[in-house]
Amino acid sequence: MKHVACCLTFVLLGGCMSLRSQTPRVIHSKGNPILADGEYYSADPAPLVVGDTLYILAGRDEAPADVNDFAMREWQLLSTKSVSSGTWMHYPAILRPETVFSWAEPGHAYAGQIVAGRDGRFYLYAPVQQAHSSNQDPFAIGVAVANGPLGPWKDAHPSGPIVSQSIPERNTIQNIDPTVMVDEDGRVFLYWGTFGKLRSMELEQDMVTPKAPEISVTTLKGFFEAPWLFRRGNTYYMIYAANNAGPDSNCTRAIYHACIAYGTASNPLGPWTYRGVILDPVSSTTSHPGAIAFQGKWYLVYHTADAKGGGHFRRSVAIDEMSWDDSSNPAGIIKVKPTRAAAPPPAPTRNMASAAEAHASNEPIPVQYALAALNDGIVRRNPLPPDMWASWSQHNPPVQWIEYDWPHPVELNGARIQFWNDQPAGSNVGVAAPASWHLEYWAGNQWKPVENATAYGTKADGINEVTFRTVTTRCLRSVFQASGEGDAYAAVAVQEWEALTPRAVVPQTQTSAPPSQISRCY
Ligand code: FUB
């Protein structure tokens, strides 16, 4: 009864949930992502080793499935004594911005990092929003201190943040994504930044006082956000999320996505030399790294949208081994191969799309979109541009097409397509479902319309399914007559396009050649 009353009081105060969720729990992870069941999403991992334990600080994504925005109210911790064991302790809800920084707004518990200070205490560098700020952007970096990574935390600089748009000097960037390294000689270095702006600053050994002016770092190719500074031997490494996008980019084809790239320096304040890409884009649009040595191995932590119900704003922390190429000087980081928890064997399906390579009439497609979205099997409730192929340009042509090429002929007798629109049917601007469309197949020496096709639906809010007389072909096209008329047409966008074979088969038996080795049909 007493418990119920207590809970009722807490519920009224909004606190019962947070009290309950602070209880640590044991997780038996089957592989990446570590927390995979969708109960807790976890983002922006920052690793820390203390004795025999690896900790990962993470934010918590709480956005509803159809909301494209960060909803991050608190930080959580994962810890393990053996990565390969898969056994983790999960400490949900270790801290909220407003509970440690009296000057901070609730919410926006973005990417932080816990660092061991020379004084034996632990410092949490936390991007939060100032409650009363006259700055154009209220993000600021606060520092909390504790005797252990689990807290309890208190403000290490109660007069306010150590970095904002007005502290220690005026800047116009968004002051988030701090990374801090205490060097072997005790010097302390802070880097931070996003949206292509990276700043650094040396701090005094008190971990909070600026020692020198801010420096802008401009030599790390494609830098977007999420810097992570560390040292191996005599070399300083900066890994970061980069988004230099384009059809020939070694980083990412779609601008909304990011790869993890890195640079090296022989001095903690640079100059920095770009060295390459260590992680290809992940399933979430953001990518955010941390790297650390633990029990004789190096690990890369990052996040993805791969948990149950995951998405771009419902991310989950993953961990993989990271290895080195010591034959070069400085040693290079070998590209990390992301791993996933073993998935159940794929169910038989009529959809042959995953075995095909996609092409489109507007290649190279605009960098905000992704051809790979056509056959990735993912339809999001509120997709972002890289979740679809689209043809938007300044002057949309009246006809556009998308195409699947298979390495070997496949039997097909149907297709399902899901359009996306931001304009109603008939529009001649923006993106609208096409006025009409039809399917063509490669008949060995020419494209021919499929025969006996049922109605080609053009609804924008669901699946349009077509069946047709069975063909055996290596290539299939959807040809769209865009909405509009005269000189003005809307663009067409497709979230998912399935090509159906008459009888369900296990999908991986369909393909042998990797994409890009599949010859085109002309
Ligand atoms: O989690 C919010 C933001 O997303 C982080 O600050 C960025 O690094 C990106 O991961």
Side-chain angles (χ1 to χ4, degrees), residues 103-145:
W103 46 267
E105 283 264 300
H108 302 97
Y110 275 25
Q113 182 182 354
I114 300 173
V115 181
R118 274 284 181 104
D119 59 1
R121 297 193 297 170
F122 292 85
Y123 292 83
L124 166 59
Y125 292 81
V128 295
Q129 290 200 347
Q130 278 184 276
H132 307 288
S133 169
S134 52
N135 293 328
Q136 203 175 19
D137 185 299
F139 268 109
I141 297 171
V143 187
V145 64

Side-chain angles (χ1 to χ4, degrees), residues 43-44 61 70 72 110-111 176-177 225-226 286-288 303 315:
D44 302 329
D61 276 348
F70 296 114
M72 305 180 76
Y110 275 25
I176 63 169
D177 285 6
E225 63 180 358
T286 61
S287 194
H288 190 113
H303 62 220
R315 303 160 294 176

Side-chain angles (χ1 to χ4, degrees), residues 3-14:
H3 173 76
V4 171
C6 158
C7 255
L8 196 60
T9 315
F10 267 103
V11 167
L12 292 172
L13 296 173

Side-chain angles (χ1 to χ4, degrees), residues 478-517:
S478 283
V479 182
F480 307 115
Q481 179 65 48
S483 162
E485 58 187 356
D487 276 348
Y489 293 92
V492 180
V494 176
Q495 294 186 64
E496 195 69 22
W497 178 33
E498 298 183 2
L500 305 176
T501 195
R503 285 162 300 280
V505 293
V506 175
Q508 70 267 41
T509 59
Q510 290 300 302
T511 188
S512 54
S516 79
Q517 287 179 17

